[in-house]
Amino acid sequence: MVAGELYRPGAPDLVAARKRAQKLMAAYNATTYGDDGRETTLAELLGGVGKDRAVRAPFYVDYGRNITLGDNVFLNYGCVLLDVCPITIGNRVDIGPYVQIVTADHPRDPATRAAGLEFGRPISIGDGTWIGGGAILLPGVTIGAGAVIGAGAVVTHDVAPGTTVGGIPARPLVSKRSGA
């Protein structure tokens, strides 16, 4: 699954891993800033957590263990991170409310879908990126360092470092201000 190969989501080991994640996610989402055990629960749920990060509850994951947060990461309320493949979030990344980071995908072939098989592709978000509220990052995208993803954008392709994108599907935006 993590390698992007076809897998069966109902496999007993995957069901057990999702149950584990759901229990930890529920425990974390029941806390507020400063509560005892909150940071320990987050560290147990995720595959890696950097220093000085803030994850506002609620947030949602499939497995948790495939998510790595860098230093000084901020996730606002209601984020969804479907981590059947790795989600790597760099340092100093700000993620707005209700952002969806989705590595899970489904085969385009109807017979393969009917067989109950799924797959995924990893997502990487570079240092210093800002993702506006309600944006959706689709499987397999890489967001370059310093990029800006506009609110509500649907990112279907890689975003070059330092680029601002918006829209559905997301595309580079040109500033109308001179010198910008």
Side-chain angles (χ1 to χ4, degrees):
M1 175 184 80
V2 174
E5 301 295 324
L6 290 172
Y7 69 94
R8 292 194 184 284
D13 59 331
L14 296 180
V15 171
R18 284 194 307 276
K19 284 182 179 180
R20 175 192 171 277
Q22 287 172 8
K23 288 177 183 176
L24 289 165
M25 183 176 56
Y28 183 84
N29 286 339
T31 67
T32 58
Y33 178 78
D35 282 356
D36 288 341
R38 187 174 210 236
E39 294 303 314
T40 303
T41 302
L42 185 65
E44 189 177 345
L45 173 60
L46 301 183
V49 292
K51 298 178 289 193
D52 300 320
R53 80 250 155 258
V55 178
R56 289 194 171 160
F59 87 111
Y60 307 95
V61 302
D62 267 337
Y63 299 93
R65 66 185 183 202
N66 299 319
I67 300 167
T68 303
L69 305 180
D71 296 338
N72 300 299
V73 169
F74 174 72
L75 273 76
N76 213 324
Y77 301 106
C79 290
V80 176
L81 290 80
L82 300 185
D83 64 311
V84 302
C85 282
I87 296 173
T88 305
I89 300 173
N91 300 316
R92 301 172 321 282
V93 173
D94 292 318
I95 300 176
Y98 301 104
V99 167
Q100 298 177 51
I101 302 173
V102 182
T103 67
D105 208 340
H106 298 275
R108 305 308 181 259
D109 174 60
T112 307
R113 276 196 316 273
L117 297 172
E118 298 178 5
F119 71 98
R121 291 178 283 156
I123 293 176
S124 179
I125 301 169
D127 294 345
T129 296
W130 174 26
I131 303 173
I136 302 171
L137 279 59
L138 294 181
V141 300
T142 295
I143 310 300
V148 175
I149 310 301
V154 177
V155 180
T156 60
H157 293 90
D158 292 352
V159 176
T163 303
T164 297
V165 300
I168 303 171
R171 61 199 174 286
L173 301 176
V174 178
S175 174
K176 294 182 181 180
R177 298 181 314 198
S178 62

